[in-house]
Amino acid sequence: QKEVEQDPGPLSVPEGAIVSLNCTYSNSAFQYFMWYRQYSRKGPELLMYTYSSGNKEDGRFTAQVDKSSKYISLFIRDSQPSDSATYLCAMATSGYSTLTFGKGTMLLVSP
Amino acid sequence: DAGVTQSPTHLIKTRGQQVTLRCSPKSGHDTVSWYQQALGQGPQFIFQYYEEEERQRGNFPDRFSGHQFPNYSSELNVNALLLGDSALYLCASSLGLAGGPVETQYFGPGTRLLVL
């Protein structure tokens, strides 16, 4: 079993839809949870960062962490074609440790 | 601020050859981490350099080695290339011992390596 599981998609939605992206994990030592966006042929760009459980909102993006279920989510409201990218979840055991990534979910938002 | 830069952008090698990839960290950053991202996969941690020493290493064979220079730039070397080494190689820079808070890791655009 991989430490971090993420459905690779692709996930296709129309413009304006609410998008839900998810990851599950097996290592209960993970404390830091990140979402990265990666456009084609580019490096990952940090979108959201959450410590431990709870919700965090930033504009159209909301990150949720449920440590009891070992499940994290990223919601994108009012999705735009420019949101089309691969979304990677990543986790770390401490603020100074290396990152463990999921496979990434490819999102396609059509106009 | 140029951010993290990597060179070359693309590279084609044949099996058995050796390759060197280069990374310049974001201005002010002193720690460099290298990741391998195979097609359709998430990045996998290779190793991390701080103060010119390898501080952490992922599950990669000794064919993968690195170096950090006094100006904090870094090189990733891969010997005896295998077809399975074909991937996007990402460099991430951060500030502080052991990579700094995870939210401050900045990734470069990567070097795409194809092994034939």
Side-chain angles (χ1 to χ4, degrees), chain A residues 52-104:
Chain A
S52 193
S53 284
N55 296 355
K56 189 172 186 177
E57 188 173 321
D58 183 2
R60 296 185 295 112
F61 298 90
T62 299
Q64 289 185 352
V65 174
D66 181 351
K67 291 188 70 181
S68 61
S69 302
K70 297 191 178 67
Y71 186 89
I72 70 170
S73 301
L74 177 70
F75 297 94
I76 307 174
R77 290 183 298 280
D78 186 26
S79 57
Q80 302 296 308
S82 59
D83 294 328
S84 297
T86 295
Y87 289 79
L88 296 154
C89 63
M91 305 178 190
T93 56
S94 75
Y96 292 82
S97 64
T98 59
L99 302 175
T100 301
F101 284 86
K103 273 187 171 184

Side-chain angles (χ1 to χ4, degrees), chain A residues 9 14 24 26 28 41-42 50 62 67 76-77 92 97 100 106:
Chain A
T24 58
S26 58
S28 57
R41 302 187 178 281
K42 301 285 188 183
T50 309
T62 299
K67 291 188 70 181
I76 307 174
R77 290 183 298 280
S97 64
T100 301
M106 182 182 294

Side-chain angles (χ1 to χ4, degrees), chain A residues 15-30:
Chain A
E15 184 176 355
I18 296 175
V19 175
S20 172
L21 304 167
N22 312 293
C23 287
T24 58
Y25 63 95
S26 58
N27 186 351
S28 57
F30 286 138

Side-chain angles (χ1 to χ4, degrees), chain B residues 20-82:
Chain B
T20 297
L21 310 180
R22 295 175 177 83
C23 171
S24 291
K26 181 178 169 63
S27 178
H29 283 184
D30 57 7
T31 303
V32 172
S33 301
W34 286 91
Y35 290 81
Q36 180 196 65
Q37 186 176 22
L39 195 62
Q41 303 294 319
Q44 279 198 293
F45 173 71
I46 303 175
F47 44 53
Q48 180 185 78
Y49 277 84
Y50 172 73
E51 289 188 339
E52 302 179 46
E53 289 190 16
E54 185 183 292
R55 297 291 176 165
Q56 298 186 67
R57 188 179 183 92
N59 189 24
F60 279 80
D62 292 344
R63 297 187 298 110
F64 289 78
S65 63
H67 189 77
Q68 186 178 35
F69 298 94
N71 67 353
Y72 308 124
S73 67
S74 177
E75 288 183 349
L76 164 65
N77 301 292
V78 187
N79 294 322
L81 284 167
L82 304 175

